[in-house]
Amino acid sequence: MRGSGGRTLAGLALAALLVGAASGQGIPPAERRSGFDQMAPETRAMQADETANPGMLWVEDGAELFTRLPSPGAPACAGCHTEATMRGVAARYPAWDEATARPVDLEGRINLCRTRHQAATPLPREGRDLLGLTAYLGHLSRGLPLAPPEDSRLAPARAEGKTLFETPIGQLGFSCAGCHDAHWGRRLGAATIPQGHPNGYPLYRLEWQGLGSLERRLRNCLAGMRAEPFGPGSAEAVALTLYLMQRAAPLAVESPAVRP
């Protein structure tokens, strides 16, 4: 059903909700809440039980890929890394890459390792293999607190991410902060507005009926704001991820999380 001017009634309700929303206030560390806390008990139980969590199918794929040779004569990931050395890695990305002199997210790091050390082609973003490897690495860090690097070289990108989060964009003039800082915990239609933390990604979303990355969720949100989505692995997407990781710390890594 549509109202005057072509906007849906849902869009008008959202606009009313966000009028005058404060940005820049942030959420104090003591008040930071995972989306897990806002889910129905049966969905929380699905995430907590590894035999029922559908994201574990991707973790199993990633564990197999970690030990598989990408091509004859090329080393497997396990040829350089062990599960012990990779525990905590997912909690520390995005991080600075010396060779390219820019921050990279975990997906970017995996693909850089493939091209630099395995003579292999980059894996497609949102493809099963890259999602599997990131879910596997996330699972190795499960329960550890997010620990974004204290690296001054990341400061400009993190500041850019904060600006992207707080600045109204798109045809509707909304900002990320307008929902996730100013109105978290309230309801928008049938849904509870979460704080928007990245600690569960990659995660299995019941709406998607599959696993997806944080970048996919950002594209969904931007499309809903009638804004142009960021390109895969773009500097803007990495910058926003950097800020979101800082904003969420010290919440624990939950990957692969389950969300509605």
Side-chain angles (χ1 to χ4, degrees):
M1 185 174 182
R2 294 185 175 274
S4 61
R7 284 190 177 182
T8 64
L9 292 182
L12 290 172
L14 180 59
L17 176 67
L18 299 180
V19 167
S23 65
Q25 301 302 311
I27 300 172
E31 297 179 21
R32 292 173 189 174
R33 300 287 183 271
S34 169
F36 179 88
D37 299 334
Q38 298 174 313
M39 298 193 304
E42 56 269 24
T43 311
R44 294 200 299 268
M46 181 186 295
Q47 175 176 314
D49 183 352
E50 292 194 351
T51 65
N53 184 333
M56 291 302 298
L57 296 173
W58 280 261
V59 172
E60 292 174 6
D61 286 349
E64 192 275 329
L65 287 167
F66 192 76
T67 60
R68 184 200 299 174
L69 301 180
S71 61
C77 302
C80 294
H81 309 289
T82 66
E83 288 191 349
T85 61
M86 299 307 287
R87 179 164 168 76
V89 167
R92 300 194 295 268
Y93 269 79
W96 187 259
D97 178 61
E98 294 281 355
T100 59
R102 61 180 175 85
V104 296
D105 58 12
L106 187 57
E107 293 89 342
R109 172 59 66 202
I110 290 170
N111 276 332
L112 286 173
C113 283
R114 285 178 61 82
T115 57
R116 291 173 182 172
H117 307 301
Q118 296 180 308
T121 57
L123 296 171
R125 290 197 174 235
E126 297 309 315
R128 179 93 186 191
D129 286 353
L130 189 55
L131 285 171
L133 283 168
T134 53
Y136 171 66
L137 295 177
H139 186 255
L140 291 178
S141 297
R142 201 172 191 182
L144 295 179
L146 295 180
E150 294 294 334
D151 187 334
S152 60
R153 295 171 298 182
L154 296 171
R158 189 175 285 123
E160 179 187 0
K162 185 175 189 292
T163 298
L164 288 168
F165 187 82
E166 296 175 349
T167 302
I169 59 174
Q171 294 177 342
L172 300 181
F174 297 156
S175 71
C176 308
C179 271
H180 301 298
D181 275 357
H183 292 290
W184 69 269
R186 299 185 185 183
R187 299 190 70 81
L188 180 61
T192 301
I193 299 173
Q195 292 184 353
H197 296 306
N199 57 310
Y201 287 90
L203 57 75
Y204 188 94
R205 195 170 180 85
L206 300 179
E207 176 188 354
W208 296 339
Q209 288 294 289
L211 201 79
S213 69
L214 174 61
E215 197 171 81
R216 178 178 179 181
R217 187 70 188 118
L218 295 178
R219 286 198 300 272
N220 285 173
C221 286
L222 288 166
M225 295 158 70
R226 306 296 189 269
E228 183 176 353
F230 305 135
S234 66
E236 293 87 354
V238 174
L240 184 52
T241 302
L242 262 170
Y243 173 66
L244 290 174
M245 289 288 282
Q246 180 189 52
R247 177 178 173 271
L251 294 178
V253 176
E254 296 177 20
S255 183
V258 177
R259 295 292 185 266

